[in-house]
């Protein structure tokens, strides 16, 4: 696959400490699409990033048609009308009415020439082969016009848009059997440490089960990604370096968590430094702070904090935007809802943006109120499970009083069901 070469040092920054906004600006401004294009059957394209604009090839609907079961005629009606035709959906015959005539018609059936209005059958009186319709029915009632939904040659979807179920309906309505989309980002996810165990293994003192890798894989699955699970790599420099060098040749992204310092036991970090380029970012965000970004050739390395809450939040805030851009998608800021705080935080450190785990509940007046998980520890997975979103507190805020407005970012805005 031909990939567009990234900047040689796209993560280089001259600042010791980056704000949340500066971090996003680098990730979405310096990275570029590295995935190729492929043409897929429409039914296989859901969830992918579009690789080209979609222009409506024809009117939708293609012809004027009835929105109800009833009687088609030319308004205004003046009295009883003879029923001269019966038209069902899919009828390809040609019909023509003259003023004063009506046609029995069914939902979706093409309007006969000369008719512009449809009376619902329950509002009509039929006597033999004649029908009486409401005399006050407005011209055009219950009739769908050709191109009423989408007119031919109208831009419908733009490249870098992600195909949603409703977009699939639109593409199918145009009669498009195949769609050109971006290939998934090829991402390798790994953990490192002799203390880590796979779930199911017998655990001993000093060991922990690897929870981050399963979480990161699930988060990556919310985007168009082909995921390779590299498992847990041992604390063996030669094994790690050989694995990363090989994986970098066939993947777009390597994602790991933990080991963000420069200690002797941070084998992955040391291997990245030998194989390519790496930068340690100190981000003025809680939870988060230390993150590693780098490259082995055109393969991006993303190193998240080791605590699961910090890894989760930093994936949503920084890895997801990076994967979106690398995959050829159009990054959009998550939706923020202003809601009243249902808690008090007397003191918050200024100059740092914080993201608290929280959820919404109706207040006394029925309006949503944000509630905060009481414990802030970055190792508490229970807080992530209880939360349905993040409460965002900006750098300038130094305290929060109950009832003050705060920004709530629902997990659904990041592709996660609540």
């Amino acid at each position: 696959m031909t990939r567009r070469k990234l900047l040689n040092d796209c993560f280089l920054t001259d600042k010791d400490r980056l704000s949340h906004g500066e971090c996003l600006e680098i990730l979405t401004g310096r990275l570029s699409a590295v995935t190729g294009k492929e043409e897929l059957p429409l039914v296989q394209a859901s969830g992918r990033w579009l690789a080209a604009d979609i222009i409506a090839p024809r009117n939708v609907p293609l012809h004027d048609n009835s929105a109800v079961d009833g009687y088609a005629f030319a308004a205004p009606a003046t009295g009883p009308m003879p029923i001269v035709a019966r038209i069902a959906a899919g009828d390809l015959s040609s019909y023509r009415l003259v003023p004063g005539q009506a046609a029995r018609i069914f939902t979706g059936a093409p309007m006969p020439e000369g008719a512009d209005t449809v009376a619902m059958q329950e509002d009509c009186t039929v006597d033999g082969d004649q029908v009486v319709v409401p005399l006050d029915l407005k011209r055009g009632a219950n009739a769908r016009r050709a191109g009423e939904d989408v007119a031919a040659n109208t831009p419908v979807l733009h490249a870098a848009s992600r195909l949603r179920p409703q977009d699939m309906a639109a593409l199918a309505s145009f009669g498009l059997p195949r769609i050109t989309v971006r290939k998934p980002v090829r991402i390798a996810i790994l953990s490192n440490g002799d203390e880590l165990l796979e779930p199911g293994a017998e655990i001993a003192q000093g060991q922990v089960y690897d929870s981050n890798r399963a979480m990161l894989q699930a988060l990556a699955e919310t985007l168009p990604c082909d995921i390779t699970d590299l498992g847990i790599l041992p604390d063996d420099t030669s094994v790690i370096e050989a694995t990363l060098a090989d994986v970098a040749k066939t993947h777009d992204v390597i994602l790991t968590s933990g080991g963000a310092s420069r200690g002797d036991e941070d084998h992955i970090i040391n291997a990245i430094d030998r194989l390519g380029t790496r930068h340690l970012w100190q981000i003025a965000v809680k939870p988060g702070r230390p993150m590693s970004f780098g490259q082995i050739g055109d393969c991006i390395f993303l190193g998240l904090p080791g605590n699961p809450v910090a890894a989760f939040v930093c994936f949503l805030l920084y890895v997801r935007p990076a994967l979106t851009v690398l995959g050829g998608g159009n990054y959009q800021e998550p939706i923020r809802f202003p809601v009243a705080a249902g808690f008090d935080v007397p003191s918050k450190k200024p100059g740092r943006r914080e993201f608290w785990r929280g959820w919404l509940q109706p207040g006394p007046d029925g309006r949503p109120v944000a509630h905060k998980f009481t414990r802030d520890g970055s190792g508490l997975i229970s807080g992530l499970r209880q939360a349905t979103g993040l409460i965002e507190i900006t750098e300038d805020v130094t305290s929060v009083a109950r009832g003050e407005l705060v920004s709530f970012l629902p997990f659904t805005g990041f592709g996660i069901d609540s």
Side-chain angles (χ1 to χ4, degrees):
M1 179 187 75
T2 301
R3 294 188 290 178
R4 177 180 174 184
K5 187 173 177 60
L6 296 168
L7 295 172
N8 290 330
D9 209 351
C10 57
F11 298 116
L12 178 63
T13 174
D14 58 359
K15 291 190 175 184
D16 294 331
R17 196 164 180 257
L18 294 172
S19 69
H20 170 71
E22 289 169 335
C23 184
L24 269 181
E25 185 177 354
I26 292 174
L27 291 173
T28 59
R30 295 186 188 177
L31 296 180
S32 57
V34 297
T35 55
K37 302 175 183 180
E38 61 181 342
E39 189 180 83
L40 293 179
L42 174 61
V43 294
Q44 297 178 17
S46 180
R48 292 290 196 91
W49 301 110
L50 268 179
D53 292 346
I54 299 292
I55 307 297
R58 56 185 58 85
N59 285 333
V60 178
L62 185 61
H63 50 72
D64 295 353
N65 67 89
S66 177
V68 298
D69 292 347
Y71 295 87
F73 63 99
T78 57
M81 294 180 288
I83 304 169
V84 299
R86 183 181 187 278
I87 312 172
D91 191 336
L92 302 181
S93 302
S94 296
Y95 298 94
R96 178 178 177 81
L97 303 184
V98 298
Q101 292 181 333
R104 178 73 165 114
I105 198 166
F106 297 89
T107 303
M111 292 284 288
E113 187 178 349
D116 54 24
T117 305
V118 180
M120 297 176 65
Q121 60 185 15
E122 52 266 41
D123 295 333
C124 300
T125 301
V126 178
D127 183 8
D129 61 356
Q130 290 192 324
V131 61
V132 176
V133 303
L135 299 182
D136 59 350
L137 201 60
K138 293 182 179 179
R139 187 185 305 275
N142 303 315
R144 305 187 186 113
R145 298 304 177 190
E148 179 179 282
D149 189 7
V150 180
N153 301 316
T154 299
V156 178
L157 292 168
H158 296 289
S161 301
R162 193 172 182 191
L163 290 177
R164 306 166 299 166
Q166 53 267 50
D167 300 322
M168 300 292 288
L171 297 177
S173 75
F174 304 144
L176 299 177
R178 301 181 69 84
I179 304 297
T180 302
V181 295
R182 286 281 185 176
K183 292 182 178 180
V185 175
R186 300 171 301 177
I187 178 172
I189 301 178
L190 62 95
S191 295
N192 164 235
D194 289 341
E195 78 283 5
L196 297 178
L197 293 176
E198 293 285 4
E202 186 173 346
I203 193 168
Q205 190 73 22
Q207 295 180 313
V208 294
Y209 289 115
D210 180 14
S211 60
N212 279 1
R213 200 171 88 254
M215 177 182 70
L216 295 177
Q217 288 183 32
L219 288 169
E221 287 172 355
T222 63
L223 291 169
C225 293
D226 279 342
I227 302 168
T228 301
D229 179 9
L230 296 180
I232 302 171
L233 298 187
D235 286 330
D236 185 315
T237 300
S238 60
V239 171
I240 291 174
E241 192 165 332
T243 300
L244 295 182
D246 186 56
V247 168
K249 298 174 184 176
T250 56
H251 289 74
D252 304 308
V253 175
I254 296 172
L255 176 64
T256 187
S257 61
S261 67
R262 295 183 181 271
D264 292 338
E265 295 301 315
D266 296 327
H267 299 282
I268 290 181
I269 296 302
N270 294 331
I272 295 293
D273 289 343
R274 286 190 292 271
L275 294 171
T277 304
R278 184 185 66 89
H279 300 284
L280 179 64
W281 288 4
Q282 292 291 335
I283 306 173
V285 167
K286 181 182 179 181
R289 291 193 294 276
M291 292 183 63
S292 292
F293 296 84
Q295 295 167 256
I296 303 176
D298 270 351
C299 182
I300 295 294
F301 170 75
L302 303 174
L304 296 174
N307 286 321
V309 174
F312 181 93
V313 171
C314 287
F315 184 100
L316 298 186
L317 299 180
Y318 308 119
V319 176
R320 185 177 173 88
L323 293 179
T324 295
V325 175
L326 291 170
N330 180 30
Y331 170 71
Q332 295 180 335
E333 279 281 326
I335 297 175
R336 293 164 167 83
F337 294 101
V339 295
F343 54 86
D344 293 292
V345 176
S347 178
K348 172 202 164 277
K349 184 177 179 179
R352 181 175 69 189
R353 187 168 302 208
E354 299 192 8
F355 294 87
W356 302 335
R357 289 150 283 173
W359 62 94
L360 301 181
Q361 287 182 342
D365 60 358
R367 297 180 180 179
V369 174
H371 294 270
K372 176 183 176 295
F373 190 65
T374 54
R375 294 174 292 165
D376 292 328
S378 290
L380 303 176
I381 298 175
S382 56
L384 288 177
R385 294 180 56 246
Q386 185 173 342
T388 60
L390 299 175
I391 300 168
E392 181 181 30
I393 307 300
T394 56
E395 292 84 352
D396 59 312
V397 175
T398 57
S399 65
V400 176
R402 189 179 302 268
E404 289 184 347
L405 289 181
V406 293
S407 292
F408 186 79
L409 287 66
F411 286 153
T412 52
F414 297 99
I416 303 171
D417 292 336
S418 296

